[in-house]
Amino acid sequence: MLNMDLNQRVVINTADIEWQNSPAAGVVRKRLAREEAERGHATSVVKYEAGAKFNAHPHPLGEEILVLDGVFSDETGDYPAGTYLRNPEGFVHAPFSVEGCTLLVKLHQFQPTDSQQVAINTNETQWLPGHGRLQVMPLHQHGTESTALVKWPAGTHFQPHRHFGGEEIYVISGEFIDELGRYPAGTWIRSPHLSQHNPYVEQDTVILVKVGHL
């Protein structure tokens, strides 16, 4: 069990932790939260070396992926950096990467009624106006759970707010800041139900945000 108390705030700068081997040759990972060894709830940064591959496997309670760099592939296609994927329960694939890639991966975290398969190339998707100067790119919504990219122009301050159902952030670029700390690119933050903060940025910053799921 690793960081599985969802009532606790967790902050991990993934640059500060070591890669660990996975069951597949040429695939390594940085574990952020994990329920059991090789099964159950897991959140990780995963790196495929060039030519690495996994055998075909299913995803009980789904798999959610953001391609951070390189090109991730399976039988359904090739997915470049910036692609957001959701593979629901019942989906089986044998993923690989010809040139290598790095992914943010969340396993076994779909709501039981969520069977939507999603593949969005965020490089080709329009940003929408958000609160104040923010820009938002909605990626997925089911029940109270919502996932989006949020672009923060330099100098943006957001109003203090509380997270009903919690909040999870991965800093893709720039640096995210609140009264609790500073979070450079590669930082993963999980804040519990009813937590609150007053975030801002000093430089252009893009984050992946999931709310309402904890």
Side-chain angles (χ1 to χ4, degrees):
M1 302 286 281
L2 174 66
N3 294 327
M4 284 304 300
D5 183 350
L6 302 183
N7 294 312
Q8 297 297 315
R9 183 174 185 267
V10 181
V11 177
I12 299 175
N13 183 345
T14 62
D16 294 337
I17 58 178
E18 298 295 324
W19 293 105
Q20 298 179 330
N21 291 330
S22 80
V27 181
V28 293
R29 59 201 175 184
K30 295 184 176 185
R31 297 170 173 170
L32 307 178
R34 194 167 189 83
E35 188 173 11
E36 297 180 37
E38 309 311 329
R39 59 184 293 181
H41 179 121
T43 299
S44 309
V45 175
V46 178
K47 179 189 286 187
Y48 282 65
E49 303 294 344
K53 60 184 178 180
F54 259 99
N55 293 329
H57 57 274
H59 290 290
L61 279 185
E63 173 189 56
E64 181 179 15
I65 292 172
L66 179 67
V67 184
L68 301 174
D69 64 45
V71 179
F72 175 73
S73 303
D74 64 15
E75 303 93 319
T76 65
D78 300 316
Y79 303 104
T83 303
Y84 174 76
L85 301 168
R86 292 181 68 88
N87 296 319
E89 183 156 359
F91 178 80
V92 176
H93 67 161
F96 62 95
S97 183
V98 173
E99 64 179 57
C101 64
T102 306
L103 318 170
L104 176 68
V105 180
K106 296 175 66 62
L107 301 176
H108 207 272
Q109 296 176 48
F110 281 31
Q111 298 177 42
T113 55
D114 185 0
S115 60
Q116 183 181 11
Q117 188 156 15
V118 175
I120 298 172
N121 185 340
T122 66
N123 303 301
E124 300 174 350
T125 303
Q126 183 178 3
W127 290 94
L128 303 177
H131 180 84
R133 300 171 62 209
L134 298 181
Q135 292 181 283
V136 179
M137 186 184 297
L139 299 175
H140 177 261
Q141 185 162 356
H142 185 84
T144 62
E145 178 181 327
S146 180
T147 305
L149 292 182
V150 183
K151 184 184 293 185
W152 295 63
T156 299
H157 285 250
F158 196 74
Q159 62 193 18
H161 60 283
R162 189 179 298 274
H163 305 124
F164 185 87
E167 178 187 60
E168 195 170 339
I169 288 174
Y170 184 84
V171 183
I172 297 171
S173 62
E175 183 184 47
F176 189 69
I177 310 167
D178 63 15
E179 66 272 35
L180 302 173
R182 305 176 74 100
Y183 317 104
T187 301
W188 177 70
I189 308 161
R190 192 185 68 204
S191 301
H193 175 56
L194 298 182
S195 58
Q196 60 184 8
H197 67 160
N198 184 10
Y200 63 98
V201 300
E202 296 174 347
Q203 58 183 281
D204 292 346
T205 299
V206 177
I207 60 175
L208 177 71
V209 182
K210 181 186 292 289
V211 295
H213 62 304
L214 300 175

